[in-house]
Amino acid sequence: PTDPELYVAYFNYYISRATQEQMYVESFLSENYKGQYLQGQNENGDKLYIFSIIEYDEELSAKAFEYIDRGLALNPTRLDMYFGKAQFNFMLEKYTAQLEVLKKTFDLNEKYKNKWLWGRNVSINDVGVSFEMNIHDYISKWLTSGNLEALNCSKELALLFIEKFPNNSVAYNDAAVAFIYLGDLVSAKKYLEAGYKVDKSDMLVLANLAYVCKNLGEIEESRNYYKILEQSSDPTYSNMAKQRLADFE
């Protein structure tokens, strides 16, 4: 009864039972719909859209959370269980609840000093799992969701990411991209400058810094950053910089 895999199994079982795919045939397609669809016509020649939406049963979803919480109470160092809980909140579009789960992992990471366990109680170091890169992945999912609540969550978690890992340039870039999506280029530039100071080899930070400066109308500063980027050994970045510099001519 204390085996964490039992609670992982219950968690996945109730997620599976809670998940329901509903098919729809409509004369229009919502601009918020991001899935695949079939397009056809009715007998009058009017357009029809055939698509599916994944919905989740509330009671069964609650049972899933009940079991993962019971498992975590007995096995508080199982990082995969925290991340599984966070991912299910993401699937339910409960972004603020997901944020709270991830914020808790930061507190526990300091307590356990990154000595987390993964599935089958294997050390995360033995399976190549990075706490920091997983946090980055969750922020990236929020950033591409197009949802304002998710964007605000990405900003809050990215700022916490910087606070806890001040030497990780990825954290600064995540915060900057969140500010870009939220329309605050001045703040984005501040975090990109800080990230570039932390790691001058991070070409993504440099590319975003050049981009933000250009959009702030700081053309000379942007040009200088693109000139540095042009010297990158990565052809993706160097070629992009050459193109952007040509645009200034």
Side-chain angles (χ1 to χ4, degrees):
T2 60
D3 188 334
E5 307 313 322
L6 172 65
Y7 298 94
V8 171
Y10 268 121
F11 178 60
N12 290 327
Y13 167 72
Y14 279 109
I15 289 176
S16 180
R17 284 195 58 195
T19 306
Q20 303 167 355
E21 183 175 17
Q22 300 292 338
M23 299 297 297
Y24 293 89
V25 179
E26 302 285 357
S27 59
F28 64 93
L29 193 66
S30 169
E31 61 181 18
N32 295 323
Y33 181 74
K34 301 185 185 305
Q36 295 182 329
Y37 62 90
L38 293 174
Q39 184 176 319
Q41 294 179 338
N42 63 16
E43 62 274 13
N44 298 321
D46 300 322
K47 284 185 179 180
L48 288 177
Y49 298 93
I50 304 169
F51 57 95
S52 65
I53 294 178
I54 302 296
E55 299 175 344
Y56 299 92
D57 181 273
E58 287 188 14
E59 290 187 9
L60 293 171
S61 295
K63 292 291 286 185
F65 285 122
E66 175 189 333
Y67 274 100
I68 203 66
D69 285 341
R70 286 169 63 181
L72 283 169
L74 294 167
N75 306 271
T77 60
R78 279 291 295 266
L79 184 60
D80 62 315
M81 294 168 71
Y82 285 105
F83 284 166
K85 182 178 179 181
Q87 178 61 24
F88 190 37
N89 273 305
F90 180 81
M91 292 160 62
L92 296 172
E93 299 182 355
K94 294 183 176 181
Y95 304 120
T96 301
Q98 181 190 7
L99 172 65
E100 292 307 312
V101 175
L102 295 173
K103 284 167 64 176
K104 184 174 183 178
T105 65
F106 275 103
D107 293 334
L108 294 174
N109 192 60
E110 292 185 339
K111 178 179 179 180
Y112 301 132
K113 302 188 184 306
N114 206 35
K115 293 181 179 178
W116 291 102
L117 299 178
W118 203 250
R120 307 290 178 185
N121 282 341
V122 176
S123 167
I124 63 169
N125 298 318
D126 293 338
V127 290
V129 172
S130 165
F131 177 83
E132 294 166 59
M133 290 312 296
N134 270 274
I135 293 297
H136 163 69
D137 288 342
Y138 280 114
I139 293 172
S140 296
K141 288 178 182 178
W142 281 332
L143 291 171
T144 56
S145 70
N147 179 282
L148 182 58
E149 179 188 357
L151 287 176
N152 282 313
C153 287
S154 70
K155 180 185 73 172
E156 183 173 346
L157 194 65
L159 294 177
L160 181 60
F161 192 6
I162 291 171
E163 178 186 333
K164 302 299 184 181
F165 296 93
N167 295 320
N168 189 329
S169 61
V170 173
Y172 294 90
N173 190 71
D174 284 345
V177 174
F179 279 111
I180 290 172
Y181 275 103
L182 290 167
D184 186 351
L185 294 183
V186 173
S187 294
K189 180 186 177 185
K190 179 180 75 171
Y191 286 103
L192 287 168
E193 287 176 330
Y196 185 54
K197 186 176 181 181
V198 164
D199 184 1
K200 286 186 164 53
S201 69
D202 192 325
M203 294 296 97
L204 182 57
V205 168
L206 182 59
N208 284 337
L209 182 54
Y211 165 83
V212 166
C213 286
K214 181 180 179 182
N215 282 274
L216 284 171
E218 299 168 350
I219 303 303
E220 278 308 306
E221 197 169 350
S222 176
R223 192 197 306 270
N224 290 335
Y225 286 130
Y226 278 126
K227 285 180 179 178
I228 299 171
L229 193 65
E230 188 181 19
Q231 306 305 313
S232 172
S233 59
D234 186 332
T236 301
Y237 288 109
S238 60
N239 291 335
M240 183 266 285
K242 287 183 175 68
Q243 183 179 342
R244 296 292 181 270
L245 286 168
D247 292 341
F248 286 125
E249 301 301 329

